[in-house]
């Protein structure tokens, strides 16, 4: 007895028809022709070419784009000269604060001036970082301009906190006529300072002394180079921030590009056009004098005591020349960056005038000593 219209009967009939149709198709379909070897080779070459293109795009995105100006190739080269307009001091400033480069000392005088002049300063909502650090933050502009400290329009007069350099992002939150500065330090001493200050032995699981001993084992026989296969094992960064070639990493290069000589060369050239002045930590007083004239600030504005200096218990013994050499090999990209801007800095002092520099440095130190004497003077209760 057949019951038409019953759901179970209809489902059973559909399954049988589908099965018969599938069996018929399988028996009548002609076999697929194999792909010719030449065509397979062409397809493989196309896939390889596409992969290489994507890799190049990745490198460009990671190194060139973050450092490229929105408005094209605008160079911020400063023609070194004494301030010609003391009555018109700089009010718009971008200070890229690099790790362990005496950067807190410079930040202090910048923020103090901003406070005195009632300038708007970009402040992190929490902590000391304006960005997340691990990679360029696509939400940087939104995050900075949405804090309670943001002025109307979201354009700040001063940026002076830790952040990785991303020129295109920063240009969206500061004035077009802003003066751009940063600071560098000799790479071997920087790495030693960073390793001990941030207690990186908890990350690498070896003391700084043992870390140096490991570097000696990485030397290539008969060559003044480290085995990059071993060096790359130290590529990971403590908390995603601290590691080898720290300055160039702060300045926007990702770890995968730090061993690419061409990328480093192009980046240094780009950075040379990005900053009006690059201070040198080993020449702090001379740097402050040049900064004073670039910004048309006063000598009193440059008075500051060293900040964030390590306590003696965090200091290791002085580096030997061989240890320093190994650390420079480990941080080869930073060495190239530092040497470039150190040479430029010394040329700037020559242009400024070496005798004038000596006079102004002496004046700065005298004023600083007077301030220190006032601080040491006992206060009366009356």
């Amino acid at each position: 007895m057949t019951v038409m219209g019953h759901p179970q009967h209809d489902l059973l009939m559909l399954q049988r028809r589908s099965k018969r149709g599938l069996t018929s198709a399988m028996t009548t379909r002609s076999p697929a022709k194999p792909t010719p070897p030449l065509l397979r080779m062409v397809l493989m070459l196309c896939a390889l070419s596409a992969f290489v293109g994507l890799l190049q795009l990745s490198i460009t995105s990671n190194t060139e784009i973050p450092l490229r100006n929105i408005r094209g190739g605008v160079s911020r080269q400063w023609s070194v000269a004494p301030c010609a307009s003391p009555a018109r001091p700089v009010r718009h400033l971008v200070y890229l604060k690099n790790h362990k480069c005496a950067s807190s000392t410079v930040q202090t005088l910048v923020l103090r001036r901003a406070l005195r002049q009632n300038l708007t300063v970009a402040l992190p909502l929490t902590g000391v970082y304006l960005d997340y650090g691990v990679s360029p933050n696509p939400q940087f502009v939104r995050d900075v301009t949405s804090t309670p400290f943001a002025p109307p329009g979201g354009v700040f007069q001063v940026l002076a906190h830790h952040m990785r350099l991303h020129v295109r992002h920063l240009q969206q939150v500061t004035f077009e006529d802003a003066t751009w500065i940063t600071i560098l330090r000799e790479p071997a001493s920087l790495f030693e300072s960073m390793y001990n200050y941030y207690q990186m032995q908890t990350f690498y699981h070896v003391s700084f002394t043992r870390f140096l001993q490991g570097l000696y084992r990485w030397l290539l026989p008969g060559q003044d180079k480290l085995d990059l296969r071993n060096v790359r094992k130290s590529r990971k960064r403590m908390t995603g921030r601290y590691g080898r070639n720290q300055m160039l990493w702060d300045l926007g290069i990702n770890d995968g590009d730090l061993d690419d000589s061409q990328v480093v060369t192009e980046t240094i050239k780009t950075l040379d056009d990005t900053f009006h002045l690059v201070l040198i930590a080993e020449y702090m007083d001379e740097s402050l004098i040049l900064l004073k004239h670039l910004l048309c600030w006063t000598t009193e504005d440059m008075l500051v005591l060293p900040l964030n200096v390590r306590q003696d218990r965090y200091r290791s013994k002085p580096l030997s020349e061989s240890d320093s050499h190994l650390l420079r090999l480990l941080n080869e990209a930073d060495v190239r960056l530092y040497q470039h801007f150190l040479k430029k800095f010394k040329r700037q002092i020559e242009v400024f005038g070496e005798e004038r520099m000596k006079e102004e440095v002496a004046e700065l130190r005298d004023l600083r000593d007077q301030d220190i004497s006032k601080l040491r003077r006992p206060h009366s209760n009356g």
Side-chain angles (χ1 to χ4, degrees):
M1 179 177 180
T2 303
V3 182
M4 299 300 294
H6 193 281
Q8 291 183 352
H9 177 271
D10 293 344
L11 178 60
L12 181 60
M13 293 297 291
L14 286 172
Q15 289 174 341
R16 289 175 179 173
R17 290 174 184 172
S18 299
K19 188 173 181 180
R20 285 198 300 270
L22 179 60
T23 304
S24 175
M26 292 176 64
T27 56
T28 58
R29 184 179 299 167
S30 59
K33 295 181 179 180
T35 304
L38 181 59
L39 180 58
R40 285 203 303 268
M41 184 178 295
V42 171
L43 291 174
M44 289 177 63
L45 289 174
C46 290
L48 180 61
S49 176
F51 174 76
V52 172
L54 287 173
L55 181 61
Q56 291 175 340
L57 177 61
S58 175
I59 292 175
T60 300
S61 299
N62 289 338
T63 59
E64 182 183 354
I65 291 177
L67 300 181
R68 189 188 302 157
N69 289 305
I70 291 177
R71 303 173 187 88
V74 179
S75 176
R76 299 189 180 92
Q77 296 284 349
W78 174 43
S79 299
V80 180
C83 172
S85 305
R88 300 182 62 184
V90 168
R91 294 173 58 84
H92 303 151
L93 181 65
V94 175
Y95 170 47
L96 210 292
K97 186 177 186 292
N98 293 327
H99 289 92
K100 301 312 296 174
C101 292
S103 56
S104 294
T105 300
V106 179
Q107 181 195 45
T108 297
L109 64 88
V110 169
L111 294 181
R112 183 181 60 199
R113 173 81 185 194
L115 179 63
R116 289 175 176 174
Q117 299 297 315
N118 195 30
L119 305 179
T120 56
V121 179
L123 297 174
L125 188 58
T126 59
V128 296
Y129 291 94
L130 282 176
D131 67 356
Y132 300 131
V134 178
S135 61
N137 175 20
Q139 304 299 327
F140 173 83
V141 176
R142 186 199 66 184
D143 291 348
V144 172
T145 57
S146 62
T147 67
F149 319 114
V155 179
F156 297 88
Q157 292 171 302
V158 174
L159 287 91
H161 285 74
H162 277 302
M163 53 191 163
R164 290 191 72 194
L165 178 61
H166 194 301
V167 174
R168 299 170 71 83
H169 286 170
L170 295 179
Q171 285 181 314
Q172 296 178 65
V173 296
T174 191
F175 288 85
E176 187 173 353
D177 66 346
T179 299
W180 291 55
I181 63 172
T182 189
I183 185 168
L184 302 178
R185 179 181 178 181
E186 194 281 315
S189 63
L190 182 151
F191 189 86
E192 180 275 327
S193 173
M194 181 175 62
Y195 199 102
N196 289 290
Y197 183 85
Y198 292 116
Q199 301 183 51
M200 293 174 67
Q201 68 272 12
T202 61
F203 180 71
Y204 288 115
H205 305 294
V206 291
S207 66
F208 184 68
T209 301
R210 292 286 299 277
F211 185 87
L212 286 174
Q213 292 171 354
L215 293 184
Y216 280 99
R217 292 194 295 270
W218 292 355
L219 275 172
L220 291 172
Q223 301 184 50
D224 192 27
K225 292 183 179 179
L226 296 177
D227 188 340
L228 284 180
R229 292 174 299 178
N230 287 317
V231 169
R232 290 189 179 109
K233 294 178 182 177
S234 66
R235 179 175 291 175
K236 292 183 179 179
R237 294 183 174 273
M238 179 178 178
T239 69
R241 292 186 185 275
Y242 315 124
R244 58 189 288 259
N245 293 308
Q246 184 65 44
M247 291 185 291
L248 269 175
W249 188 86
D250 282 339
L251 291 169
I253 295 190
N254 287 335
D255 286 309
D257 297 327
L258 287 170
D259 296 321
D260 188 319
S261 179
Q262 182 179 353
V263 171
V264 172
T265 298
E266 293 173 354
T267 299
I268 291 174
K269 183 179 182 301
T270 301
L271 293 172
D272 204 339
D273 291 332
T274 299
F275 293 98
H276 292 86
L277 177 64
V278 175
L279 313 179
I280 302 295
E282 286 75 17
Y283 294 85
M284 178 59 78
D285 287 342
E286 291 83 354
S287 294
L288 294 179
I289 295 302
L290 290 182
L291 182 63
K292 178 185 79 170
H293 287 279
L294 171 65
L295 303 180
C296 285
W297 292 2
T298 67
T299 303
E300 287 73 15
D301 288 323
M302 299 297 114
L303 291 176
V304 64
L305 299 177
L307 290 178
N308 218 13
V309 178
R310 281 181 295 168
Q311 300 176 10
D312 290 338
R313 62 193 178 99
Y314 292 124
R315 294 181 182 274
S316 60
K317 64 180 181 180
L319 291 172
S320 66
E321 182 53 40
S322 59
D323 290 346
S324 295
H325 182 66
L326 276 176
L327 291 176
R328 285 192 285 270
L329 291 178
L330 180 67
N331 297 277
E332 182 180 1
D334 266 3
V335 170
R336 293 177 57 189
L337 173 77
Y338 179 79
Q339 289 177 344
H340 173 87
F341 282 104
L342 177 61
K343 290 178 182 178
K344 180 177 181 179
F345 182 83
K346 290 182 177 180
R347 291 196 302 270
Q348 290 174 321
I349 290 179
E350 291 177 1
V351 173
F352 180 81
E354 294 183 359
E355 288 303 317
R356 177 166 186 163
M357 177 62 74
K358 290 179 182 178
E359 294 174 1
E360 296 207 21
V361 165
E363 178 189 6
L364 175 65
R365 290 173 178 171
D366 286 343
L367 288 174
R368 183 188 300 139
D369 290 342
Q370 293 175 25
D371 271 10
I372 292 175
S373 297
K374 292 177 182 178
L375 291 173
R376 289 175 176 173
R377 193 175 303 160
H379 296 279
S380 61
N381 294 327

